[in-house]
């Protein structure tokens, strides 16, 4: 493995090259074992792998903290169904991204499949976060949020998968800008409950009864937005390698910073959701359950895991169709 040469951009197929990254390429004929070992060898994908693989453990640590709260229900309680779906969405996103960067040099076909699956995990994250927003941050505005919010999030997730997959065949000159815009689109749909609450002081929500909790929630949301904007900047600008091609081939190039910033945005989003969950637990009359009158119909296996599973099936069916078309 260590004797396999790393190549320059002139020595690999054009579809493998990245803008302003001149060296550190693996040729697309590695075995599975060679791909796995390459995680510990400095290539231009090594940092891309670790910047989304290590965050899995950081995210899991902060996620599990909720179950140590005094008075929190058991982890299997329906109250936590949306939270577990959010965890699965983030897990799929981080794991799919890290493995796509690690395994994409097995062949050109496998490379396309890896990134199709990577894009497919966007749907899992979008639906998972939307379910958490719906049940924990839902403002009591019946018309849109009760009937259209979750279907809209699922539809946007599917559109994002289709568009991202198409950027590997079309719009290649503008693929980074298109993917970035597509990544941001689910954010605006999923975050609709938060935007409504911030723009409408009269909106009712778990943290509304506590100015401190509301301020904390808003702070985490603004930080979440900030890191998303910074990640979009790195993904589109290709800074710093744009200004010094060849000097950031292995470490410090824009895609690694993009990964770091997207994870920081997810971490702040997690903290925001936890604030709302804590507010719910402090107000037993608002806790999502079957009691009468409920704030919302309580989460069920069908309304959480069922919706997530259907969206997964649709997304990966589209991925398979896209791969066959190719």
């Amino acid at each position: 493995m260590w004797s396999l040469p790393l190549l320059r951009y002139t020595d690999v197929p054009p579809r493998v090259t990245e803008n302003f990254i001149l060296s550190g390429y693996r040729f697309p004929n590695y075995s599975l074992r060679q791909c796995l070992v390459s995680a510990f060898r400095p290539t231009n994908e090594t940092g891309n792998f670790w910047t989304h693989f290590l965050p899995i453990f950081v995210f899991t640590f902060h996620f599990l903290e909720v179950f140590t709260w005094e008075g929190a229900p058991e982890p299997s309680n329906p109250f936590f169904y949306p939270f577990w779906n959010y965890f699965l969405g983030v897990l799929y996103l981080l794991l799919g991204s890290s493995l796509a960067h690690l395994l994409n040099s097995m062949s050109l076909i496998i490379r396309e499949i890896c990134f199709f699956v990577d894009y497919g995990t966007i749907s899992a994250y979008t639906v998972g976060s939307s379910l958490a927003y719906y049940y924990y941050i839902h403002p009591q505005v019946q018309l849109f949020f009760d009937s259209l919010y979750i279907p809209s999030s699922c539809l946007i997730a599917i559109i994002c998968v289709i568009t991202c997959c198409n950027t590997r065949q079309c719009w290649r000159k503008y693929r980074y800008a298109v993917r970035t815009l597509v990544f941001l689109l689910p954010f605006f749909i999923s975050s609709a409950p938060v935007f409504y609450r911030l723009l409408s002081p009269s909106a009712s929500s778990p943290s509304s009864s506590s100015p401190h909790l509301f301020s904390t929630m808003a702070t985490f949301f603004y930080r979440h937005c900030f890191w998303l904007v910074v990640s979009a900047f790195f993904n589109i600008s290709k800074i710093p390698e744009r200004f010094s091609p060849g000097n950031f081939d292995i470490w410090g190039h824009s895609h690694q910073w993009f990964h770091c910033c997207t994870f920081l945005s997810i971490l702040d989003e997690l903290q925001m959701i936890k604030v709302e969950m804590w507010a719910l637990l402090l107000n037993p009359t608002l806790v999502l359950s079957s009691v009468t009158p409920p704030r919302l119909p309580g989460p069920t296996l069908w309304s959480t895991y069922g919706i997530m599973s259907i969206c997964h099936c649709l997304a990966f069916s589209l991925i398979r169709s896209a791969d066959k078309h190719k």
Side-chain angles (χ1 to χ4, degrees), residues 53-320:
F53 185 72
L54 291 178
I56 293 174
F57 302 97
V58 179
F59 178 82
T60 301
F61 172 79
H62 287 281
F63 171 84
L64 294 176
E65 181 189 16
V66 170
F67 304 114
T68 66
W69 290 351
E70 183 178 355
E74 292 295 319
S76 58
N77 190 287
F79 175 78
F80 287 122
Y81 285 174
F83 198 47
W84 280 112
N85 276 265
Y86 175 67
F87 172 78
L88 291 175
V90 174
L91 175 65
Y92 294 157
L93 179 70
L94 297 176
L95 188 61
S97 171
S98 56
L99 291 181
H101 286 291
L102 184 64
L103 304 179
N104 66 65
S105 64
M106 295 178 69
S107 73
L108 291 177
I109 295 297
I110 291 179
R111 178 182 176 84
E112 297 300 304
I113 294 173
C114 281
F115 286 111
F116 282 179
V117 172
D118 182 19
Y119 304 147
T121 59
I122 299 173
S123 67
Y125 170 66
T126 301
V127 175
S129 61
S130 296
L131 288 169
Y133 282 29
Y134 180 76
Y135 283 105
Y136 301 130
I137 313 180
H138 185 293
Q140 294 184 358
V141 181
Q142 304 299 320
L143 180 61
F144 172 74
F145 291 106
D146 278 2
S147 304
L148 301 176
Y149 175 66
I150 294 298
S152 297
S153 297
C154 294
L155 178 62
I156 291 298
I158 299 301
I159 292 174
C160 288
V161 172
I162 296 173
T163 306
C164 284
C165 289
N166 282 336
T167 61
R168 303 200 67 81
Q169 309 299 326
C170 315
W171 318 316
R172 287 190 56 81
K173 183 177 180 181
Y174 306 103
R175 62 188 184 276
Y176 299 114
V178 171
R179 290 172 195 167
T180 301
L181 292 174
V182 166
F183 294 154
L184 292 177
L185 181 59
F187 159 76
F188 289 106
I189 300 299
S190 299
S191 301
V194 185
F195 284 125
Y196 181 84
R197 286 185 45 205
L198 294 176
L199 297 175
S200 177
S202 61
S204 176
S205 67
S207 63
S208 298
S209 58
S210 170
H212 173 69
L213 287 178
F214 183 82
S215 175
T216 303
M217 182 280 296
T219 299
F220 281 125
F221 180 70
Y222 292 139
R223 286 170 44 174
H224 170 61
C225 295
F226 170 77
W227 289 120
L228 281 178
V229 171
V230 175
S231 68
F233 167 77
F234 279 117
N235 200 40
I236 295 176
S237 68
K238 296 304 168 187
I239 293 174
E241 66 268 20
R242 174 183 292 273
F243 297 130
S244 186
N247 288 329
F248 298 95
D249 290 351
I250 307 300
W251 303 109
H253 58 75
S254 61
H255 202 77
Q256 295 168 10
W257 292 112
F258 168 71
H259 277 192
C260 293
C261 292
T262 53
F263 174 66
L264 289 173
S265 76
I266 290 173
L267 205 56
D268 281 326
E269 180 183 51
L270 171 64
Q271 300 303 328
M272 178 186 67
I273 292 172
K274 286 164 65 175
V275 168
E276 293 297 301
M277 294 174 67
W278 176 248
L280 279 171
L281 294 175
L282 289 178
N283 295 273
T285 58
L286 295 177
V287 172
L288 310 178
S289 65
S290 59
V291 299
T292 303
R295 186 174 76 94
L296 279 173
T300 63
L301 287 173
W302 165 248
S303 68
T304 53
Y305 294 101
I307 291 175
M308 176 76 90
S309 299
I310 291 174
C311 192
H312 286 178
C313 292
L314 289 173
F316 287 105
S317 294
L318 290 170
I319 289 171
R320 186 178 178 185

